[in-house]
Amino acid sequence: MEKIDIKKQYQTLYSGHVGKFIVFDLQDLTYFSVDGAGDPNAVPEYAAAVEALYAASYTLKFMSKETLKRDYVVPPLEGLWWADDMADFTARRKDRWRWRMMILVPDFIGETMAKEAITRAHEKKRLPALSKVRFVHLEEGKVVQTLHIGSYDDEGPILKKLHDEFLPAKGFVEAGHHHEIYLSDPRKSPVERMKTILRQPVRSAA
């Protein structure tokens, strides 16, 4: 049985160049997601959310393999990040952050099967956070994207360049939450080598 690599199927979604911005129109996608708030390094809800997302995603993977005869590599973790006052976000006051952590659901899997996977994972794992997992559609439209290598806390300069220089120069304004895709596992990769896709939905300023 062929194993589908989602990162290769949607190559543009998971690629970028350090210091360079690409602009493209993103198709609507579906995700497992969990919403929360607070410093991801401090609040237990964050780790619980990530654990629940992976539990649901791997349950869905095995259901797809058994029922649809289609196996695939579980996509990487993603996150939408924002703050009620965006100054708290840029100043890294993480205790005031809000987030939505997500894992992509392949386009060949429908909502019914995805929701059944959440139920089955809950029955097997008994993780309280699984009750917060939702199947959601994300419509970001036109986005600007780049690749960051290094610590998450070192994203500031490239994000400042994006918002203060690139977007105004191209006639864009923000049209959605800051989006990150984690290509590296922080438990296994040295901080200086971690790869993160940084994405910003935009619209014309006109």
Side-chain angles (χ1 to χ4, degrees):
M1 182 185 303
E2 180 185 4
K3 180 179 288 188
I4 301 167
D5 189 335
I6 305 296
K7 288 193 293 185
K8 292 181 179 179
Q9 182 183 19
Y10 296 117
Q11 189 171 5
T12 304
L13 275 66
Y14 301 102
S15 61
H17 299 282
V18 175
K20 296 182 179 180
F21 301 109
I22 60 172
V23 181
F24 63 96
D25 293 311
L26 186 64
Q27 70 267 43
D28 297 348
L29 299 169
T30 55
Y31 291 87
F32 284 139
S33 74
V34 178
D35 291 351
D39 185 343
N41 298 312
V43 296
E45 291 81 5
Y46 178 83
V50 173
E51 183 181 18
L53 286 172
Y54 275 109
S57 296
Y58 274 98
T59 300
L60 181 61
K61 163 190 166 69
F62 293 122
M63 288 174 62
S64 174
K65 185 176 181 180
E66 177 182 357
T67 304
L68 303 179
K69 308 304 179 186
R70 303 185 76 173
D71 192 12
Y72 63 91
V73 179
V74 171
L77 181 70
E78 307 186 27
L80 302 181
W81 299 88
W82 69 100
D84 294 333
D85 179 351
M86 284 306 293
D88 291 328
F89 186 77
T90 55
R92 315 301 285 180
R93 290 189 281 266
K94 299 179 183 180
D95 58 313
R96 302 179 186 181
W97 287 5
R98 302 178 67 82
W99 40 263
R100 171 176 289 178
M101 304 314 297
M102 311 182 297
I103 294 181
L104 186 72
V105 173
D107 60 4
F108 55 81
I109 293 179
E111 182 173 358
T112 299
M113 179 177 285
K115 289 184 174 180
E116 175 63 22
I118 298 172
T119 300
R120 291 191 186 185
H122 202 332
E123 292 172 349
K124 183 177 181 180
K125 298 289 187 177
R126 298 296 181 184
L127 299 173
L130 276 163
S131 64
K132 300 180 181 179
V133 176
R134 299 288 182 264
F135 178 79
V136 301
H137 301 275
L138 185 62
E139 302 175 6
E140 291 184 295
K142 189 176 296 295
V143 300
V144 179
Q145 184 165 295
T146 190
L147 174 67
H148 170 73
I149 299 179
S151 169
Y152 305 137
D153 287 330
D154 291 336
E155 295 172 1
I158 190 63
L159 292 177
K160 181 176 177 60
K161 183 178 180 180
L162 168 65
H163 292 281
D164 294 352
E165 299 177 27
F166 184 84
L167 295 188
K170 297 297 183 180
F172 292 138
V173 294
E174 298 90 343
H177 297 314
H178 173 69
H179 189 158
E180 299 191 351
I181 303 173
Y182 307 104
L183 302 181
S184 302
D185 186 339
R187 299 169 301 176
K188 301 177 181 178
S189 300
V191 171
E192 65 274 11
R193 295 183 182 177
M194 291 196 304
K195 296 181 179 181
T196 307
I197 293 293
L198 306 180
R199 179 183 297 160
Q200 178 60 54
V202 297
R203 61 174 174 81
S204 173

